[in-house]
Amino acid sequence: MHDTSPTPDGNDAARVVDAPADNWVDRSAPRFTRPFLRLSRADRPIGTWLLLLPCWWGLTLAMLFDQQPRWFDLWIFIGCGAGAWLMRGAGCTWNDITDRHIDDKVARTRSRPIPSGQVSVKGALGWMIAQMLIALCILLSFNGAAIALGVLALLPVAIYPFAKRFTWWPQVFLGIAFNWGALLAWTAHTGSLGAPAVVLYAAGIAWTLFYDTIYAHQDTEDDALIGVKSTARLFGDNTAQWLRRFLMGTVGLMGLAVIFALRDSASFLALIIALSGPWAMGWHMAWQLRSVDINDNDKLLRLFRVNRDTGMIPLVFFAAALLA
């Protein structure tokens, strides 16, 4: 059963049950905006971080690659932050529109704004378009190649909500969409797509498979009842073995991306510092792996959320390598 107590804004509709109890939307946002902000998951910022961090990986690795940091990179950094917030919101809105008949059958999701009646489908569509248009304005400030990549990113975003209906690997489609920023930010800095960015993108997909499989284990019983597929259901009791493979894939691919990017341009010290990023990230993922209990939903949600810190780790090392 989901919480049916009034929300902090005095409405009868329930607070979204998997949002932090003290989130800023329920506490401080203007009342009329709260249903739309909940629709964008603004009350749960972890998704924005998971979308944004690959962008910042791509930007810092590109700066290491050509050793040509510019003032415009500061705008790329800021623009990626705003764009990630907007496009994560638009993507979540699209996801909730397409999943509205599934969400009302799952305990964790039936309190979301559309199935709970806080926002109509027409209102959600208008909100999605508004977020996308603002994000487009940011994208148009980048170079042509980055703009083309940004437009192309709409394809995996559009497909992802349907993936769990036709494949046991919907987390792959989420990874394709969520890590696209690694390609875009690299290209926004360098002007063209390069092999290090593609390998970094693959590392991000492996990371997404790791954290979203953990997340998906919260819904395995409901998903089985309604026929929704996921890697969590596919792996079952073998989840730990698969998570270990995704951990190794993340670390190995990110390490290769660093080597490809820095081998001809950076100092040996910068290379060592940058390579320490995926190594340290791997240790953090290994700690998560040791803590996973697929039958403890509270722990699963906590582990999912700490992946903001996981993704911050290589970014810190890449930034430090820029100073070496």
Side-chain angles (χ1 to χ4, degrees):
M1 294 290 292
H2 65 289
D3 180 11
T4 56
S5 60
T7 55
D9 60 7
N11 294 332
D12 290 332
R15 175 180 63 83
V16 179
V17 296
D18 57 354
D22 61 345
N23 72 82
W24 74 274
V25 172
D26 292 340
R27 186 181 66 249
S28 306
R31 291 185 180 182
F32 75 94
T33 67
R34 292 178 188 179
F36 294 97
L37 290 171
R38 292 174 188 139
L39 193 62
S40 294
R41 311 287 198 276
D43 52 353
R44 283 156 289 170
I46 179 59
T48 299
W49 283 110
L50 296 175
L51 184 63
L52 172 59
L53 287 167
C55 300
W56 286 350
W57 296 348
L59 174 61
T60 51
L61 196 64
M63 294 164 70
L64 285 165
F65 168 72
D66 65 11
Q67 297 291 302
Q68 294 181 18
R70 299 181 289 271
W71 280 110
F72 188 71
D73 294 325
L74 179 60
W75 167 242
I76 298 174
F77 184 89
I78 295 169
C80 284
W85 193 90
L86 289 161
M87 288 309 297
R88 188 257 182 149
C92 288
T93 304
W94 172 243
N95 185 81
D96 284 9
I97 291 169
T98 60
D99 281 0
R100 62 190 183 277
H101 300 305
I102 293 176
D103 285 346
D104 63 4
K105 298 178 177 66
V106 177
R108 187 178 58 82
T109 59
R110 64 168 64 103
S111 60
R112 287 178 176 174
I114 295 177
S116 66
Q118 296 177 56
V119 179
S120 67
V121 174
K122 183 181 293 186
L125 280 169
W127 178 238
M128 180 185 72
I129 292 169
Q131 292 173 98
M132 292 176 67
L133 288 175
I134 299 171
L136 177 62
C137 292
I138 296 171
L139 179 65
L140 291 176
S141 69
F142 296 160
N143 58 52
I147 292 170
L149 277 171
V151 173
L152 188 59
L154 294 176
L155 182 60
V157 171
I159 293 173
Y160 166 67
F162 302 101
K164 56 183 169 288
R165 295 166 170 83
F166 63 80
T167 178
W168 286 101
W169 293 83
Q171 280 70 27
V172 171
F173 288 84
L174 180 67
I176 290 170
F178 254 57
N179 294 279
W180 200 271
L183 306 177
L184 195 153
W186 170 285
T187 304
H189 172 85
T190 64
S192 62
L193 190 58
V198 175
V199 179
L200 183 67
Y201 176 57
I205 294 173
W207 178 46
T208 302
L209 280 161
F210 180 89
Y211 67 66
D212 206 61
T213 296
I214 292 173
Y215 184 77
H217 265 288
Q218 297 174 91
D219 299 329
T220 50
E221 292 184 6
D222 287 331
D223 287 349
L225 288 173
I226 60 180
V228 168
K229 299 178 173 68
S230 71
T231 51
R233 286 190 61 206
L234 178 64
F235 303 154
D237 292 336
N238 295 319
T239 291
Q241 293 95 307
W242 280 97
L243 292 180
R244 189 172 295 108
R245 292 166 186 162
F246 299 145
L247 186 163
M248 292 187 294
T250 303
V251 174
L253 288 165
M254 188 176 289
L256 281 176
V258 169
I259 292 170
F260 289 163
L262 276 67
R263 61 184 175 182
D264 296 327
S265 57
S267 68
F268 180 73
L269 177 59
L271 177 61
I272 294 301
I273 293 172
L275 281 173
S276 298
W279 178 83
M281 182 182 185
W283 277 108
H284 197 270
M285 293 171 72
W287 165 75
Q288 292 183 57
L289 180 57
R290 290 193 300 271
S291 304
V292 166
D293 179 352
I294 63 173
N295 298 309
D296 185 339
N297 283 1
D298 290 338
K299 180 177 282 189
L300 291 169
L301 184 57
R302 287 196 302 271
L303 289 173
F304 169 72
R305 286 174 175 164
V306 302
N307 276 277
R308 180 200 64 176
D309 300 336
T310 311
M312 280 284 190
I313 291 170
L315 178 64
V316 170
F317 281 92
F318 292 172
L322 282 168
L323 303 175

